[in-house]
Amino acid sequence: MATVSPTPLLKDELDIVIPTIRNLDFLEMWRPFFQPYHLIIVQDGDPSKVIKVPEGFDYELYNRNDINKILGPKASCISFKDSACRCFGYMVSKKKYIYTIDDDCFVAKDPSGKDINALDQHIKNLLCPSTPFFFNTLYDPYRDGADFVRGYPFSLREGVHTAVSHGLWLNIPDYDAPTQLVKPLERNTRYVDAIMTIPKGSLFPMCGMNLAFNRELIGPAMYFGLMGDGQPIGRYDDMWAGWCTKVICDHLGLGVKTGLPYIWHSKASNPFVNLKKEYKGIYWQEELIPFFQSVTLPKDCTTVQKCYIEISKQVKVKLGKVDDYFNKLADAMVTWIEAWDELNPSGVKPAELPNGASK
Amino acid sequence: MRTPPCLLSLTLDSAVLNLSNITDLSPLPDHILIELFLRTLRAGKLTERVLKLFIATGKDEVFSLIQALNIQVTVNPVLPTSKCLPIKDDEIDIVIGALNFDLTSFMNVWRPIFSRFHLTIVKDPDLKEELKIPEGFNLDVYKEPDIDRVVGTSTSIIFSGYACRYFGYLVSRKKYIISMDDDCLPAKDNKGFLVDAVAQHITNLTTPATPFFFNTLYDHFTEGADFVRGYPFSLRNGVTCALSCGLWHNLADFDAPTQALKPEERNSLYVDAVLTVPARTLMPISGINIAFNRDLVGPALLPCFRLATEGKFRWETMEDIWSGMCVKVICDHLGLGVKTGLPYVWRNDRGDAIASLRKEWEGVKMMEEAVPFFQSVRLPQEATTAEDCVIEVANAVKEKLGSKDPVFAHTAKAMLDWVKLWKSVGGSSSSPGA
């Protein structure tokens, strides 16, 4: 390909989902890149608080009251007082693609000093195939200036559809609490100029700060679990979604990419608070990882929903004995799928939903 | 304006300063105990005595924290980042297969980096001219008569062309081998400095690899990086890295059709990362810029896959690709790591891709059979050394691929010959221990 074609905007096919409990001031910096798109704001915490959305953005906003009204008793699967509530936004969206970003993430600069349009890069990643079956040593072979290396089987060069694009962060790295505590001053300043497909069979820690996915291909797997208020664990919402998603993508032959784009992560959360939230997770993940590494899905699980329900059954059987929390989580996973299917009936154009403040 | 610290915070700071006077921490409420523990750790004051004080409180949260941070009583608690093992220069051999007779400019341009080390140069037996090597290096040179003398004539292995360097691997007695093609020069990094490829390969080989879980910030041992949230603590020690695969600027390692389709394409992207190739993931391992732990995996790098039309340009060979898949499968089985990424070397323009295309290109077809084979091969638990593993793979090649193409049958035999040769000439490799 001699000429570089511009990335399609996809402005009518992509929603930006933002969970927030504070404010949306960060959107001002993103305005040049985000303004063409529709925003879905999921307001966590006190629903009586008014979250001001900067002028000029097209958005719909949901607070806890809206979530309860729309989902009724199924609202129990949506976390409260945790950014995990963002997955409600995925459920109510009508678009093909989702980009989700935290409200403490800003525009980063590339090594030449130019502002990085993270959304543009995510769209490129999602529209381009992935190569999970054989690792390419020059990373993304579809990128300008790169290709498949010698020895890469030609039969695998078409790649598969990309379901997830996982971006990274400069400045405050996404560390767990123990690491944060011993290295409070560490900053990520290294710009690694690569996008790569995470190979089939490999799990990874998926961070929800700068994440895009094809909702039609993998949406129902992006449940961010039961976290926050009333739950014994926090800061494992995106991890949980990532492990479920990767297992399902591997089963269905879909690709997950990681690497570019970078955003600038500005706020370091309190490591002592984080330790309390993650504390159980640090132990539980030692059980969770072997569990996800050994999950096998039967051949007749041909849709994401079927795969997800199957995983929830195995969670109950194998993880229920680790802690009763996993029994509740397994039930919530089923509730999530039921709610998803209700709001997104297949073959029927989804009806307009009653929502909170929208423009 | 900074808010002044609260009384509790001041008290905790004072406690940290006066730890030597404290004999009993059990009256402290849990949350204060934890905060004190963490401040003690941060102040670098967690001595064995102090640690025992905390343990004596019997509080679960303290134990959990000690476990999570991997603090051990017998070892000084240190920051949980790994450091490189110190390596002596005489543990390293740089093996060069000479396909060009005049190595003068190659050796001179690498002199600042190579001159500290021992070099093993193996002359391609098909080269007619005498080798030209500049003075001032500590090296051994092997030519056809040496190869014949050591190897004898009873073996099916042909050490010509790119395969000649494997003779160097065979006779070297160093622990770490770094090997590159003789048309490579030092590359420049993204700041414009020359890359010390040898130092980077050694760093890769002497720091742990992490094949069981993907770290999204890539190499955790680099300055400014660590394991990210969600990375299981039990997997953070990693495993020994047995193989380090570097990359190439200018002429990347493309096959002939790709290079022919994009004749002007040159690789200038500097991807500043090293990453561990996950377990059970295969990749094309190029021999152009490679390093390995000879003690652990020496026999697994093998000159056994020879195309009928193999030539003197990299895109007319597959020997390294085959060897690489063997090594990866064996490393996965033995619990060793393989890294890819830095260092880069600069590869000179050489050859005509279109001319190479005109040869019957069997390598492409054979990869279509080879890859599914390697993806499904399983080695028995009893195979605990690289030699054992090579024998198992060779037998599997004969059984599953032998009938598909005579090249595979010949390769299987050559692999068994290689192990015999290695056992008699190469010295045995170790079982990967701790």
Side-chain angles (χ1 to χ4, degrees):
Chain A
M1 283 181 293
T3 48
V4 183
S5 36
T7 317
L9 260 187
L10 298 185
K11 68 177 183 62
D12 296 321
E13 295 179 73
L14 185 146
D15 273 339
I16 303 179
V17 172
I18 305 166
T20 186
I21 198 166
R22 287 171 291 254
N23 62 63
L24 293 168
D25 298 346
F26 85 116
L27 279 177
E28 271 314 322
M29 199 189 186
W30 287 102
R31 189 183 286 276
F33 305 128
F34 285 4
Q35 194 147 343
Y37 299 90
H38 181 71
L39 311 181
I40 297 181
I41 317 283
V42 183
Q43 179 184 334
D44 196 12
D46 183 2
S48 64
K49 177 171 174 195
V50 174
I51 301 262
K52 198 174 169 308
V53 183
E55 285 292 318
F57 283 100
D58 171 43
Y59 71 95
E60 55 196 279
L61 185 146
Y62 300 91
N63 61 29
R64 192 71 207 184
N65 294 337
D66 302 315
I67 295 173
N68 290 337
K69 213 184 327 164
I70 292 169
L71 293 184
K74 296 199 175 72
S76 59
C77 73
I78 303 295
S79 303
F80 184 60
K81 293 294 247 332
D82 193 287
S83 63
C85 64
R86 73 176 82 210
C87 62
F88 178 77
Y90 309 158
M91 196 194 276
V92 300
S93 165
K94 306 282 167 293
K95 305 284 174 52
K96 183 170 177 183
Y97 303 98
I98 297 275
Y99 175 48
T100 185
I101 185 171
D102 280 11
D103 61 10
D104 58 356
C105 294
F106 294 84
V107 178
K109 285 195 195 303
D110 70 18
S112 73
K114 187 162 155 260
D115 280 351
I116 299 171
N117 182 347
L119 191 48
D120 183 79
Q121 183 65 58
H122 276 299
I123 291 172
K124 276 199 180 82
N125 294 350
L126 289 173
L127 293 181
C128 222
S130 297
T131 50
F133 305 121
F134 208 70
F135 189 85
N136 192 43
T137 45
L138 281 185
Y139 314 112
D140 184 356
Y142 306 102
R143 208 173 158 188
D144 286 318
D147 213 306
F148 290 99
V149 297
R150 176 174 58 100
Y152 203 103
F154 275 78
S155 61
L156 295 178
R157 294 192 187 197
E158 234 178 74
V160 298
H161 290 300
T162 303
V164 180
S165 167
H166 177 262
L168 297 175
W169 350 273
L170 291 171
N171 195 40
I172 309 282
D174 188 24
Y175 288 160
D176 50 59
T179 311
Q180 263 184 299
L181 283 161
V182 292
K183 293 179 163 190
L185 300 178
E186 186 144 281
R187 297 290 176 265
N188 186 23
T189 53
R190 197 163 56 126
Y191 185 90
V192 179
D193 197 354
I195 306 132
M196 61 192 81
T197 301
I198 300 182
K200 177 175 176 175
S202 293
L203 291 176
F204 75 113
M206 184 179 85
C207 173
M209 264 198 267
N210 174 21
L211 181 74
F213 58 93
N214 183 323
R215 193 178 160 278
E216 279 179 13
L217 284 181
I218 199 68
M222 285 287 185
Y223 173 49
F224 273 43
L226 288 173
M227 306 275 150
D229 226 40
Q231 305 299 342
I233 187 177
R235 284 171 59 85
Y236 271 84
D237 51 335
D238 41 6
M239 298 297 137
W240 182 264
W243 297 328
C244 292
T245 293
K246 185 61 166 56
V247 164
I248 294 175
C249 282
D250 285 351
H251 177 77
L252 295 178
L254 299 169
V256 174
K257 293 185 182 173
T258 186
L260 302 183
Y262 282 89
I263 46 92
W264 179 270
H265 184 212
S266 70
K267 194 173 169 298
S269 38
N270 184 314
F272 294 97
V273 171
N274 288 345
L275 186 63
K276 279 195 84 120
K277 291 180 181 174
E278 291 175 13
Y279 162 76
K280 287 215 158 96
I282 289 175
Y283 290 95
W284 288 347
Q285 82 190 354
E286 299 297 335
E287 309 279 347
L288 298 179
I289 298 309
F291 166 77
F292 280 106
Q293 280 171 337
S294 62
V295 161
T296 47
L297 296 168
K299 273 207 175 79
D300 59 2
C301 287
T302 50
T303 65
V304 177
Q305 288 92 323
K306 285 196 186 128
C307 292
Y308 203 74
I309 297 288
E310 178 61 31
I311 293 178
S312 75
K313 288 191 191 137
Q314 296 188 29
V315 166
K316 215 167 213 181
V317 168
K318 299 208 176 120
L319 297 176
K321 47 183 142 147
V322 172
D323 193 282
D324 189 48
Y325 167 77
F326 291 104
N327 288 317
K328 288 210 290 260
L329 181 58
D331 290 338
M333 289 167 77
V334 174
T335 307
W336 160 264
I337 295 292
E338 286 169 0
W340 181 284
D341 284 343
E342 233 176 73
L343 294 187
N344 300 284
S346 50
V348 177
K349 205 163 185 321
E352 283 295 338
L353 286 171
N355 54 20
S358 75
K359 195 175 160 288
Chain B
M1 276 288 282
R2 279 188 64 200
T3 335
C6 67
L7 194 58
L8 176 60
S9 183
L10 289 172
T11 310
L12 284 168
D13 284 341
S14 178
V16 171
L17 286 171
N18 291 294
L19 275 170
S20 48
N21 294 330
I22 299 176
T23 51
D24 184 10
L25 288 170
S26 31
L28 288 182
D30 287 9
H31 66 290
I32 294 183
L33 188 68
I34 296 296
E35 289 216 22
L36 179 61
F37 184 82
L38 293 166
R39 288 189 194 209
T40 309
L41 188 63
R42 245 199 290 186
K45 285 179 167 255
L46 192 69
T47 63
E48 208 177 296
R49 184 195 84 88
V50 172
L51 183 63
K52 286 194 171 130
L53 267 184
F54 279 101
I55 291 175
T57 63
K59 297 279 163 69
D60 279 333
E61 286 208 31
V62 172
F63 291 130
S64 311
L65 209 47
I66 291 172
Q67 256 199 306
L69 293 171
N70 203 23
I71 294 170
Q72 289 155 42
V73 180
T74 50
V75 178
N76 259 328
V78 195
L79 298 181
T81 42
S82 328
K83 298 241 186 272
C84 301
L85 305 170
I87 295 297
K88 296 197 279 257
D89 288 354
D90 65 3
E91 291 183 84
I92 297 167
D93 210 341
I94 300 179
V95 175
I96 307 291
L99 271 71
N100 295 297
F101 74 91
D102 189 351
L103 296 179
T104 318
S105 58
F106 170 77
M107 305 276 296
N108 279 332
V109 81
W110 281 103
R111 190 185 290 271
I113 293 168
F114 282 4
S115 58
R116 284 160 58 193
F117 305 104
H118 178 264
L119 282 95
T120 296
I121 301 190
V122 185
K123 182 183 172 204
D124 178 3
D126 296 340
L127 256 190
K128 297 288 166 275
E129 300 92 329
E130 279 300 309
L131 279 184
K132 267 184 171 173
I133 300 173
E135 296 285 318
F137 290 93
N138 168 18
L139 44 74
D140 285 307
V141 184
Y142 297 94
K143 301 175 197 164
E144 190 171 13
D146 304 305
I147 299 176
D148 288 341
R149 184 175 33 88
V150 169
V151 164
T153 46
S154 59
T155 184
S156 59
I157 298 171
I158 303 166
F159 287 100
S160 78
Y162 284 101
C164 67
R165 58 160 67 175
Y166 292 89
F167 181 78
Y169 300 168
L170 186 65
V171 298
S172 170
R173 288 294 178 267
K174 307 287 188 193
K175 182 171 180 182
Y176 299 101
I177 293 196
I178 295 161
S179 189
M180 64 178 71
D181 284 1
D182 62 4
D183 56 1
C184 294
L185 312 172
K188 287 207 172 109
D189 67 16
N190 51 8
K191 295 188 175 70
F193 294 116
L194 275 185
V195 171
D196 183 343
V198 173
Q200 182 65 57
H201 274 306
I202 293 299
T203 300
N204 294 350
L205 290 172
T206 54
T207 48
T210 49
F212 305 119
F213 207 75
F214 191 91
N215 191 40
T216 47
L217 283 186
Y218 315 112
D219 38 349
H220 68 281
F221 55 83
T222 304
E223 201 62 46
D226 210 308
F227 290 105
V228 296
R229 172 175 59 97
Y231 202 105
F233 277 80
S234 63
L235 296 179
R236 293 189 189 199
N237 283 333
V239 299
T240 310
C241 179
L243 188 73
S244 165
C245 310
L247 294 174
W248 342 270
H249 272 162
N250 193 44
L251 206 66
D253 191 12
F254 294 141
D255 49 51
T258 308
Q259 193 73 67
L261 207 65
K262 301 177 170 184
E264 304 306 317
E265 182 118 306
R266 296 293 180 269
N267 185 30
S268 56
L269 192 61
Y270 187 87
V271 179
D272 188 7
V274 175
L275 49 130
T276 300
V277 185
R280 290 183 322 278
T281 296
L282 291 178
M283 68 178 210
I285 293 180
S286 165
I288 295 174
N289 172 18
I290 197 171
F292 60 97
N293 181 323
R294 188 183 176 281
D295 285 359
L296 289 177
V297 293
L301 281 95
L302 27 92
C304 301
F305 185 80
R306 211 175 176 88
L307 297 174
T309 52
E310 181 159 307
K312 305 296 185 189
F313 297 100
R314 272 291 183 193
W315 49 52
E316 294 170 355
T317 70
M318 280 291 187
E319 53 87 12
D320 49 350
I321 307 297
W322 177 272
S323 169
M325 288 199 285
C326 289
V327 179
K328 183 58 166 63
V329 162
I330 290 172
C331 282
D332 286 348
H333 175 77
L334 296 177
L336 299 169
V338 174
K339 291 185 188 176
T340 186
L342 304 180
Y344 281 86
V345 295
W346 174 277
R347 209 171 152 234
N348 271 332
D349 282 88
R350 203 172 141 254
D352 177 1
I354 296 174
S356 297
L357 253 189
R358 287 199 198 103
K359 289 184 170 182
E360 192 222 309
W361 203 48
E362 14 150 15
V364 175
K365 289 182 256 162
M366 309 205 79
M367 281 304 289
E368 297 298 335
E369 302 284 352
V371 168
F373 164 76
F374 279 106
Q375 280 173 334
S376 62
V377 78
R378 294 287 177 266
L379 301 174
Q381 263 192 324
E382 301 79 54
T384 54
T385 64
E387 286 104 328
D388 291 346
C389 291
V390 174
I391 293 172
E392 293 293 333
V393 176
N395 291 335
V397 171
K398 185 166 169 208
E399 191 191 313
K400 302 226 165 87
L401 295 175
S403 51
K404 298 201 176 179
D405 194 302
V407 172
F408 290 129
H410 187 265
T411 299
K413 176 166 192 314
M415 286 170 75
L416 294 173
D417 280 353
W418 174 252
V419 176
K420 282 198 202 99
L421 202 54
W422 192 277
K423 282 182 173 162
S424 67
V425 177
S428 54
S429 66
S430 44
S431 277

